[in-house]
Every structure is written in C-alpha cells, then in structure tokens.
Amino acid sequence: MKVPLSCGAWALGFCLTFGIASFLRAAEDDALLKDARSIFAALPANFATAQRPITPALVELGRALFFDPRMSIDSTTSCARCHQPSLYGTDALAKSHGNHDRLNARNAPTVINAALQVKQHWTGNREDVEDQATKALTGPASFGNPNFDVPMARLKAIAGYQPMFKAAFPNDPNPITPENWGKAIGAYERTLVSRSRFDEFLGGKLDALSADERQGLRTFITTGCVACHNGIGVGGGEFKKFGVVEDYWKLTGSQDIDEGRALDTKKVEDKSLFKVPTLRNVAMTGPYFHDGSVASLEAAVRIAAKAQLGQTLGDNEVHDIVAFLGSLTGPLPENFATAPVLPAER
Amino acid sequence: MKVPLSCGAWALGFCLTFGIASFLRAAEDDALLKDARSIFAALPANFATAQRPITPALVELGRALFFDPRMSIDSTTSCARCHQPSLYGTDALAKSHGNHDRLNARNAPTVINAALQVKQHWTGNREDVEDQATKALTGPASFGNPNFDVPMARLKAIAGYQPMFKAAFPNDPNPITPENWGKAIGAYERTLVSRSRFDEFLGGKLDALSADERQGLRTFITTGCVACHNGIGVGGGEFKKFGVVEDYWKLTGSQDIDEGRALDTKKVEDKSLFKVPTLRNVAMTGPYFHDGSVASLEAAVRIAAKAQLGQTLGDNEVHDIVAFLGSLTGPLPENFATAPVLPAER
C-alpha cells in the first residue's frame, strides 16, 4: 500500500502530538492524585475506636433500635423517620418533623459516614453518634420524651429486646439504659460506611474518576473549597463561620437567621459557626445547608464559593465540581438498606 | 442375654401401645390436613390478575413510589410511613398518623399478602390495592393533598422518575397520572407475598407444623373460627359484623364505637360490618382489630371467640390457637425488606 508522504508526515505529527498530550495528561493526573492524597483520605472499613468499640451483637441491637418508633413519645418516630434508607439517610425535607409533627431547628444530615465527624449536629452540641442517639430520646422535636424513664419502660416491656441487650452487654446486669441505647445505635452507625469511586481514586486507580470528575477535583482544590472540605469526610472535621465573605441568608434566601454554634456556647465568636458538612454522598442528600434552604447542588456550590471564598464560579467550574461531588456517592450500606425485623410486642 | 418374661411382655405392650398411638396420631394428622385443605389454600407466587398484570418495570417503579414521602402534602408521608418493613408492613400504632400528624380513623393493616383480599380498607371502601394507593394521595389523614395536581406536579419535577414511568407504561405518552401511580404501587404490592410454614403444611408436609400448632389448627377449626377466617388469606374474603354475639366495644375497651361499613354504604344492615382480617403474619402485626384497641394476640383470640362465636376459650385452647397463628408468620419479602434508592431531586 502506498501512503502519500504528506499523509505519513501528518500521521507522525498526530502521533507525536497525541502521545505528548497523553503523557502530559498522565503526568497531570499523577500530580492530581498526589495533591488529593495530601488533602483527603480514603474511608476505613468502619468507624470503631478504642473508646467506642463495636461487636456484632451491639451492632445488631443498634440496628433494631434505629428502626423502632415505639420508644418515641407518640410512637411515630424512630431514627429512621428522619434518616430513611431510601433517601440515603435523610428525609429530603428542609427541616425534619419529629414526634407530634414538631419541626426540628435544622436539616437532618445523613447517618451514612456520619460517625467520622469531629462532633455531631450542625452546631456540634453532641459529642459523637452515641451521645446524639441518647439525647434524641428526650429531644423535644425528635423522640419527645419528658425523661428517660418513659422510653426505658417501653423498651423493657418488649420482651424480644431483653436477650438482645443481654448479648450486646454481657457484663451488665441491667443493660437497658439510655447510655446503652446510645452505645448500641452508635455502634450500628459506626458500621454505616459507604466507600465511593473517589476512595478508589485515592487508592491509586486514576480512571475511577472520569475526565470531568478529575477536572472538578482540580477546580475543587484550586478554588479553595478544600480549605474546609478536606480529610476523610471531605468535610465534617471543623466548625467555620457560614458567610465569611457574604451573609449566607442573602445568598440562600433563608427565612430565619440562625446564630449557629453561639446558641449552644453563648460565645459571641461562635456566631454563625456551623460544622463544615461532609460532602460524601452529597448528590443524594439534598436539600442543602443547615436549614435546607437550597434545593439544587449546583446552586449550593455557587453559594458556598461566594459566601465562603468570595468567588463567582463559571458554569463550567460548577459543572465540573458537581461532577466531582457525584463521585463521592457510594452504595447504600447493606445493613442500612435491609430492614431488620423488630421484636413484636406481647 | 436373659430378659425376664414380665419385662418382655411390658416391652411388647409398650411397643404395641406406642405403635397404635403413633398410627392413630398419623391418621389424625392426615385427617387434619384433609380438613385444612378443604378450608384454606396455599399462597400463590404473586397476586397478579388478568386485569391487574405486573411487569418488572411496573414493580420497580411502584417500589420506589411506595417509599417516597415527597408526594404527600408536607413531604413526610410515604406508604412506608404506616407500612414499615421492620414492623411487618404496619406501624405498631393503634391508629396511624399521616401528614401533619393527622390521625387515621382505623388501624393500618399490613401490606404483606394484602392484595389477596376481596376489597381494601377495613370497611372495603377501596376496590383493590391500586384503588387504595391512588386515593391515598388525597386522603385527608394519609397524603393529604387537596387534589391530584399537587402530587403529580411534584412527581414530574423529580427527573429520575420520568424514565421509570416511561419503562413501566411504554405505550402511554403521558404516563405520570394518579391512575398509573396506583397501578405501579399496586403491582408492587401484588409481589409482597410471604409464604409460611402453614403453606408447607397445606402442601403435604405434616411436620411443618409442631404438635402444638397442629392442635391449635384443630381447635381453630372445631371452635368455628374458620367460619370467617378461611381461604388463601385465613380471612380477608368477606365482611362480617364485629360483635355477632356480644358488642365488641364491651370486650375490647374501644373508646369510640365505629359503625364500620355503614359509614360508607349508608345502609343500616352494614352497621358494625368490617372486613374479616387476614390472619397471615398476625403474630407480627399487633395491635389488633380495626381500632388497634387490643395489644396482645392472646387477648384478641379470646375476644374474637367471645364476640363472634359466644365461646369462652380455656387457656390451653388459647395457647394452641396462638401457636397455630404463629405458623402463619412468613419471612419478610425481599423486595420489601430491601430499600430502593429513590431518585434525588435536581
């Protein structure tokens, strides 16, 4: 076969150009991975700690309790009411409704990958998932009990729970306590881990992210989002003022101005401080921000860049960042997606 | 080895007696199976009919819709709010709470094996599961919408549902309608079949039931419970006055007297008529009766025998009947126990 010289030269040029471009892209991706590894970390198998250990019996008990509404004052509210498996551990509401339709002060964050966070709740007024679960029993807008005696009496009346508490707390002669309720549910939540393609990328598999997603990751880093959204949770590690550059309520259209952490600490320097939310599974857990005031992820990305960094993102930047955030969606943990059978009352 | 004559004779007598007793028991069990087969029937693989066919796409859509709260007026109420997988398709409440904490008039029956019934709702004012699902959209105490436009507009706004409706209704140019909502959820409910050990027994496996359970089945037949609780559902096939012999509210302690089917039909002869509930999974679906006024299955069995048959059951009879009813508990259907991932809003 005869190939015209011009064509051969063109092919050579093409190959060289393409080869160099590929080489450069590969080098860029290696650099991106290196950067990413210095900022983020892959999820562990579970969130157990030395102080908060997990056992199969503890997790099994906690899983049942998580789904049981009978310990709320009107027997309508389980943890799963506001943290529904089908909605990725949220309720898709701006603010959750608890017992007697009482409105919670803030948006319900997902329970998936939640235990990794520095504290619980938007203002960090719960130490950890165990503390959150115990205090929810008497939370006015959650379980609504006037004291711990009411839910503990109910728990004790359901015979099927007795062997489960016994197995979960073998050395405890009277294991049905508010603290153990929290320990069991907390242990369960420490197993709700949802690893995503981003974890594969961090593990070294460069093509676990698409070109758009990698570009989004680059933009996410260069724009400065990573100043707050970093670590294992891509957030969840610290408290920051929401509205560093511009008041958030002017951007979000929030109806009420929430003083955030200052409401708990009574310190003026904590005004408008909120926990930086983890962005894992963020594409599945709208609406956004502490008051659920923003419905779309695109809008939330624009507002966060504006309020926190003073940056007005272009459409391509928003598109790429949203693509990257989509790579943080993992599968529903199997022991969250599958309902436990609760002991029947006798 | 020498065996004293007296001992040999004793052994012979024992063997004969034991053999005859076994033979008689086996004959009794065969007769019981024959009786049971003339009264009951095993569950089919699903409850599809020629008029109400099912396809995988229809069932998949219906399963998502069943778990989605966003189409209720306050976005808190999905079908699964009152029909929770963990509670065997009930909410363990005497009467369910729907949107804005509104109280339903009656107890929420399980959705498992529900499609087999002659009609839906305690008073039969819903033709079938499809009709029930459609009308729930505007039910004041369930989804609470003022009309069908509100929930249909919400459905259309969730982009992820569009291909699902398209796949479920391939010949329908505008498939997002209240009727198709009902058809999809109904198709899903027609797959919620939970076969139990009693079905194995009816299939000829005598020892699928324990001796107590077989005795309970005998008592259930001879007491006359089967006059109403018969067929595939062990109930669910007809309407009967609750309180044939004695007013039910005097036995149950019901706070309100419910006129039952007469409220719908306006006929005096329908006063106190309710659908005979299916007893499948009854051990898992308390509290009992149309108003959830009775917490324990033992008490419910005693009251039903007294109110309907004028019989005062002894403790052994109650024990055996409750044992038999326990054999009607099947596993949670897998596509009920496993949460679907709902399309996120955009």
Side-chain angles (χ1 to χ4, degrees), chain A residues 67-70 74-76 78 81 84-88 91-93 97 99-101 283-284 288 295-298 332 336-346, chain B residues 67-70 74-76 78 81 84-88 91-93 97 99-101 283-284 288 295-298 332 336-346:
Chain A
F67 285 89
D68 201 325
R70 291 172 288 183
D74 63 353
S75 299
T76 68
S78 64
R81 175 171 178 170
Q84 299 179 31
S86 286
L87 292 163
Y88 259 75
D91 52 14
L93 292 165
H97 299 241
N99 77 91
H100 292 113
D101 203 37
M284 304 302 288
Y288 300 104
S296 92
L297 186 53
E298 286 75 7
L332 282 184
F336 187 50
T338 314
V341 171
L342 303 185
E345 229 150 335
R346 292 288 156 206
Chain B
F67 285 90
D68 201 325
R70 290 171 288 182
D74 63 353
S75 299
T76 68
S78 65
R81 175 170 179 172
Q84 299 179 32
S86 286
L87 291 162
Y88 259 76
D91 53 15
L93 292 164
H97 299 241
N99 76 91
H100 291 113
D101 202 38
M284 304 302 289
Y288 300 104
S296 92
L297 187 53
E298 287 75 7
L332 282 185
F336 188 50
T338 314
V341 171
L342 302 185
E345 229 149 335
R346 291 289 158 205

Side-chain angles (χ1 to χ4, degrees), chain A residues 184-197:
Chain A
I185 293 176
Y188 170 57
E189 290 190 43
R190 286 176 191 277
T191 70
L192 300 182
V193 181
S194 174
R195 294 170 69 94
S196 72
R197 287 185 288 111

Side-chain angles (χ1 to χ4, degrees), chain B residues 80 94 98 127 165 209 266 278 290 341:
Chain B
E127 276 307 302
F165 269 90
L209 301 193
K266 315 290 178 200
T278 162
H290 64 275
V341 171

Side-chain angles (χ1 to χ4, degrees), chain A:
Chain A
M1 199 171 98
K2 272 180 80 176
V3 178
L5 183 67
S6 63
C7 184
W10 180 87
L12 181 69
F14 179 82
C15 285
L16 274 173
T17 311
F18 186 79
I20 292 165
S22 288
F23 176 79
L24 288 176
R25 265 201 303 278
E28 270 174 25
D29 286 342
D30 282 338
L32 180 65
L33 175 59
K34 207 180 150 193
D35 280 358
R37 281 176 170 168
S38 72
I39 298 166
F40 306 104
L43 286 169
N46 62 57
F47 304 116
T49 67
Q51 286 73 39
R52 297 298 198 184
I54 65 176
T55 65
L58 201 54
V59 171
E60 191 193 340
L61 171 62
R63 179 164 162 250
L65 297 177
F66 186 94
F67 285 89
D68 201 325
R70 291 172 288 183
M71 268 57 76
S72 65
I73 190 68
D74 63 353
S75 299
T76 68
T77 305
S78 64
C79 307
R81 175 171 178 170
C82 302
H83 303 288
Q84 299 179 31
S86 286
L87 292 163
Y88 259 75
T90 75
D91 52 14
L93 292 165
K95 296 178 183 178
S96 298
H97 299 241
N99 77 91
H100 292 113
D101 203 37
R102 292 201 180 108
L103 196 65
N104 277 261
R106 303 192 182 92
N107 177 266
T110 181
V111 285
I112 305 170
N113 299 323
L116 66 81
Q117 298 172 102
V118 60
K119 303 267 179 186
Q120 296 299 315
H121 278 190
W122 279 98
T123 61
N125 64 348
R126 298 291 181 268
E127 277 306 304
D128 51 22
V129 284
E130 287 78 5
D131 185 40
Q132 195 281 328
T134 296
K135 288 180 178 155
L137 283 169
T138 52
S142 46
F143 283 57
N145 288 297
N147 54 51
F148 289 128
D149 294 344
V150 172
M152 291 306 113
R154 299 239 192 115
L155 254 182
K156 286 174 189 166
I158 302 172
Y161 275 124
Q162 282 160 25
M164 295 173 78
F165 270 90
K166 207 86 204 148
F169 302 98
N171 302 320
D172 202 331
N174 296 302
I176 300 185
T177 66
E179 290 68 33
N180 286 348
W181 158 281
K183 279 186 189 172
I185 293 176
Y188 170 57
E189 290 190 43
R190 286 176 191 277
T191 70
L192 300 182
V193 181
S194 174
R195 294 170 69 94
S196 72
R197 287 185 288 111
F198 185 54
D199 295 290
E200 289 179 56
F201 176 83
L202 291 175
K205 196 176 166 222
L206 289 169
D207 63 357
L209 301 194
S210 71
D212 275 10
E213 291 165 348
R214 289 195 300 267
Q215 186 51 41
L217 171 56
R218 259 179 217 109
T219 309
F220 192 78
I221 295 172
T222 54
T223 305
C225 309
V226 294
C228 299
H229 292 285
N230 52 43
I232 289 179
V234 193
E238 59 186 323
F239 298 89
K240 288 275 172 170
K241 183 177 176 182
F242 184 24
V244 175
V245 181
E246 237 177 274
D247 290 333
Y248 72 80
W249 56 88
K250 293 178 186 163
L251 297 164
T252 59
S254 296
Q255 296 302 306
D256 302 302
I257 297 174
D258 183 337
E259 303 217 324
R261 198 162 158 75
L263 291 172
D264 300 318
T265 64
K266 315 291 178 201
K267 291 181 188 166
V268 72
E269 65 266 32
D270 287 345
K271 202 173 153 182
S272 296
L273 251 65
F274 294 93
K275 192 176 61 190
V276 176
T278 161
L279 297 183
R280 287 189 173 272
N281 291 304
V282 71
M284 304 302 288
T285 58
Y288 300 104
F289 300 126
H290 64 275
D291 56 3
S293 52
V294 175
S296 92
L297 186 53
E298 286 75 7
V301 167
R302 280 183 207 275
I303 289 168
K306 191 79 184 163
Q308 302 306 97
L309 302 163
Q311 297 215 29
T312 304
L313 296 179
D315 288 350
N316 285 347
E317 290 169 308
V318 172
H319 170 272
D320 290 343
I321 290 177
V322 168
F324 163 62
L325 294 177
S327 80
L328 300 176
T329 301
L332 282 184
E334 200 190 315
N335 66 344
F336 187 50
T338 314
V341 171
L342 303 185
E345 229 150 335
R346 292 288 156 206

Side-chain angles (χ1 to χ4, degrees), chain B residues 4-5 24 29 38 54 67 73 111 127 129 159 170 203 208 216 244-245 264 289 299 304 307 310 316 322 341 346:
Chain B
L5 184 66
L24 288 176
D29 286 341
S38 72
I54 64 176
F67 285 90
I73 190 69
V111 285
E127 276 307 302
V129 284
V244 174
V245 181
D264 300 317
F289 301 126
N316 286 346
V322 167
V341 171
R346 291 289 158 205

Side-chain angles (χ1 to χ4, degrees), chain B residues 6 17 27 35 45 68 74 80 126 135 138 152 187 238 247-248 252 301 331 337:
Chain B
S6 61
T17 310
D35 281 358
D68 201 325
D74 63 353
R126 298 291 181 266
K135 289 181 178 154
T138 52
M152 291 307 111
E238 59 187 323
D247 290 333
Y248 72 81
T252 59
V301 166

